[in-house]
Amino acid sequence: MWSPASATNTNDDLLATSGDYLRVWNINSDDQGSMKALLNNNKHTEYCAPLTAFDWNETDPSMIGTCSIDTTVTIWDLEAMAPKTQLIAHDKEVYDVSFAPNDTHIFSTAGADGSVRLFDLRSLEHSTILYESKALSPLLRVAWNKQDPNYLACLSTDSNKIVVLDIRYVCWDIYMCVRVRVLDIYVYTDILLFIVVCKCGVIYLHLISLYPPPHTHTLLYIDHHPLLCVN
């Protein structure tokens, strides 16, 4: 993931990657890359639980949030190159984390316990469960509407349903069904952009209008090579 535009005052761009660790890279004007930092959220060993996702705070680009299969979310301070805070976010693996747009404190998570949760860095003693899937099936992705932070979208593993949530009304949701399995989602204004894959392996990129129902979709792109996310 590339850094927000305000993340650096130099000619270098910052790029973050995750897997075993969170790595931050410098990409200079000559397109040469070098690792700026390797961040491990386990202070007691050189090994850490695999990271499942991360998100860069666009309002405060000194913060990156990571989530892991060990049920934790870690908020990193990139200026200090150290954890700002770490918390147990779910009862099972945490699969995704996403900062609210235009906010330095609010973020949401999705996990294997089938819930979407809302956190505030100013008050981490408790969280709000915004949504729980039927049969508590694992939730793979969560995404904010970049222009309207009242709306979130999430999806379950191996599902053809996208759930749109209005955080002003807990337990209120909209289901949108497609005919194939959804891999990723990205919400922008009143448009939901997501990637789906069918059994034959063809990848489809769709746009669905959230308002008004019924929802329609437009095929934008087809690729026979694997696509895992959209941004």
Side-chain angles (χ1 to χ4, degrees):
M1 178 184 291
W2 291 102
S3 65
S6 57
T8 177
N9 295 321
T10 69
N11 292 326
D12 294 351
D13 292 321
L14 295 180
L15 179 71
T17 61
S18 67
D20 48 357
Y21 304 102
L22 176 66
R23 291 176 171 86
V24 182
W25 306 81
N26 269 323
I27 310 296
N28 62 30
S29 56
D30 296 325
D31 294 333
Q32 299 297 314
S34 61
M35 190 164 64
K36 179 181 178 68
L38 186 151
L39 304 176
N40 182 357
N41 61 8
N42 191 334
K43 299 179 180 179
H44 304 293
T45 176
E46 61 178 310
Y47 304 104
C48 68
L51 303 178
T52 50
F54 70 96
D55 193 32
W56 213 312
N57 190 305
E58 295 183 358
T59 305
D60 182 359
S62 68
M63 286 197 300
I64 286 183
T66 61
C67 56
S68 172
I69 64 171
D70 65 1
T71 74
T72 65
V73 167
T74 304
I75 306 299
W76 294 92
D77 183 343
L78 294 185
E79 294 180 351
M81 293 299 174
K84 187 181 184 74
T85 188
Q86 186 179 62
L87 64 145
I88 296 176
H90 287 258
D91 299 327
K92 296 181 179 180
E93 297 94 330
V94 188
Y95 287 145
D96 203 10
V97 59
S98 181
F99 284 106
N102 304 317
D103 199 299
T104 58
H105 305 290
I106 306 297
F107 64 93
S108 61
T109 59
D113 58 4
S115 68
V116 172
R117 305 192 181 202
L118 189 70
F119 294 87
D120 189 329
L121 288 172
R122 296 163 295 189
S123 178
L124 291 174
E125 294 80 11
H126 63 275
S127 63
T128 300
I129 297 178
L130 296 176
Y131 172 76
E132 288 185 318
S133 60
K134 293 182 179 179
L136 298 181
S137 59
L139 295 176
L140 181 64
R141 290 287 178 261
V142 60
W144 291 87
N145 185 314
K146 297 297 184 181
Q147 299 299 312
D148 188 344
N150 291 315
Y151 292 96
L152 278 170
C154 65
L155 60 92
S156 300
T157 55
D158 296 322
S159 174
N160 67 335
K161 293 182 179 179
I162 300 168
V163 181
V164 179
L165 308 172
D166 187 335
I167 66 173
R168 296 168 295 185
Y169 308 99
V170 178
C171 299
W172 181 88
D173 55 79
I174 302 172
Y175 282 94
M176 293 186 296
C177 296
V178 293
R179 295 181 179 180
V180 287
R181 183 163 59 96
V182 183
L183 292 183
D184 198 20
I185 48 178
Y186 180 83
V187 185
Y188 187 83
T189 315
D190 60 344
I191 295 298
L192 185 67
L193 177 62
F194 64 95
I195 292 176
V196 299
V197 58
C198 66
K199 292 181 180 179
C200 63
V202 178
I203 305 297
Y204 297 89
L205 187 63
H206 291 260
L207 286 175
I208 287 186
S209 175
L210 297 184
Y211 319 103
H215 314 293
T216 60
H217 63 269
T218 302
L219 177 63
L220 296 182
Y221 181 69
I222 302 177
D223 199 326
H224 291 271
H225 300 285
L227 298 175
L228 297 180
C229 63
V230 60
N231 203 343

